[in-house]
Amino acid sequence: RKEVEQDPGPFNVPEGATVAFNCTYSNSASQSFFWYRQDCRKEPKLLMSVYSSGNEDGRFTAQLNRASQYISLLIRDSKLSDSATYLCVVNEVGWGALIFGKGTTLSVSS
Amino acid sequence: ETGVTQSPTHLIKTRGQQVTLRCSSQSGHNTVSWYQQALGQGPQFIFQYYREEENGRGNFPPRFSGLQFPNYSSELNVNALELDDSALYLCASRLAGEGETQYFGPGTRLLVL
């Protein structure tokens, strides 16, 4: 079983749509959780950290359910510029190694 | 930008050769990690260096080795290159104890023929 599993993509949505990505992780000892965004042929960039209480950054909302070992990312009012690959990431025992999911590709069209 | 740089940006090698990739971390960042990202996959953790010592390693063979220098630069060395080593190699730096945000460099794209 893969350590971090994400929805298979790609997601193709029109501008203005709401889209949700889901992710599960296998190690219950995982301590920190993130969503990274990666544009084509570029490095991953931190989109947001994910907390049990849920957190929101503008059009982006992330949720964590530790009991179900489940992480989600909701994007509202999608923009063309949101087109990218979204990577679900966990950090085990807080010592540095980030465990990445395979990524889900989002394509927003006009 | 993250302040993390990598060189070269692209590289072509043949099977059996050796390669050295370089990373310059943000000033003051004492921890650097290296990742391998194959096409269509998420990055995979290779190893981490803290204060010039390797202190964590992923599922990669010994022919993947590294060095970290006092001037916040580091190297990834790969010996006996195989076709499957073709990937984007990313380094990420952070200041241990100051949160877990890692800052990624732009990567080196390696093609092994």
Side-chain angles (χ1 to χ4, degrees):
Chain A
R1 180 182 173 186
K2 291 198 181 295
E3 295 182 66
V4 179
E5 293 199 56
Q6 297 186 235
D7 281 349
F11 283 59
N12 299 302
V13 302
E15 276 187 289
T18 295
V19 61
F21 300 142
N22 302 313
C23 167
T24 57
Y25 59 96
S26 60
N27 188 341
S28 59
S30 298
Q31 293 191 348
S32 306
F33 309 88
F34 310 92
W35 283 100
Y36 275 72
R37 170 193 169 129
Q38 187 172 28
D39 293 298
C40 187
R41 304 181 73 82
K42 300 282 192 179
E43 73 274 22
K45 292 186 178 177
L46 179 65
L47 179 66
M48 56 199 305
S49 301
V50 189
Y51 306 109
S52 297
S53 55
N55 48 304
E56 187 173 313
D57 182 3
R59 298 180 293 108
F60 298 83
T61 301
Q63 293 277 354
L64 167 66
N65 184 321
R66 283 187 182 268
S68 303
Q69 295 178 206
Y70 172 91
I71 307 164
S72 66
L73 176 68
L74 184 75
I75 305 175
R76 292 181 300 278
D77 189 23
S78 298
K79 311 291 185 191
L80 294 175
S81 58
D82 294 334
S83 298
T85 295
Y86 291 82
L87 297 157
C88 178
V89 187
V90 306
N91 179 317
E92 298 181 357
V93 303
W95 64 273
L98 297 179
I99 311 300
F100 286 80
K102 198 174 175 179
T104 302
T105 300
L106 172 65
S107 178
V108 182
S109 56
S110 56
Chain B
E1 297 302 329
T2 64
V4 180
T5 60
Q6 291 186 243
S7 63
T9 55
H10 297 81
L11 200 54
I12 299 175
K13 291 284 189 178
T14 56
R15 269 188 308 175
Q17 285 189 310
Q18 178 267 342
V19 68
T20 297
L21 311 181
R22 294 181 173 82
C23 171
S24 179
S25 302
Q26 272 199 25
S27 180
H29 280 191
N30 54 14
T31 304
V32 65
S33 302
W34 285 88
Y35 294 82
Q36 179 197 66
Q37 186 174 21
L39 196 62
Q41 304 293 320
Q44 284 199 299
F45 175 72
I46 302 175
F47 47 54
Q48 174 176 276
Y49 278 77
Y50 171 67
R51 291 185 174 179
E52 302 163 47
E53 298 281 338
E54 183 182 306
N55 75 337
R57 191 176 186 93
N59 189 26
F60 280 81
R63 59 188 185 85
F64 286 78
S65 63
L67 288 170
Q68 185 186 27
F69 304 102
N71 65 352
Y72 311 117
S73 67
S74 61
E75 290 181 354
L76 165 65
N77 298 290
V78 187
N79 293 322
L81 283 167
E82 301 176 359
L83 297 180
D84 284 349
D85 296 333
S86 296
L88 177 68
Y89 288 86
L90 297 156
C91 74
S93 75
R94 68 186 181 101
L95 180 59
E98 292 287 329
E100 292 147 356
T101 301
Q102 296 195 22
Y103 299 88
F104 281 86
T108 293
R109 198 165 295 277
L110 172 66
L111 177 61
V112 182
L113 300 176

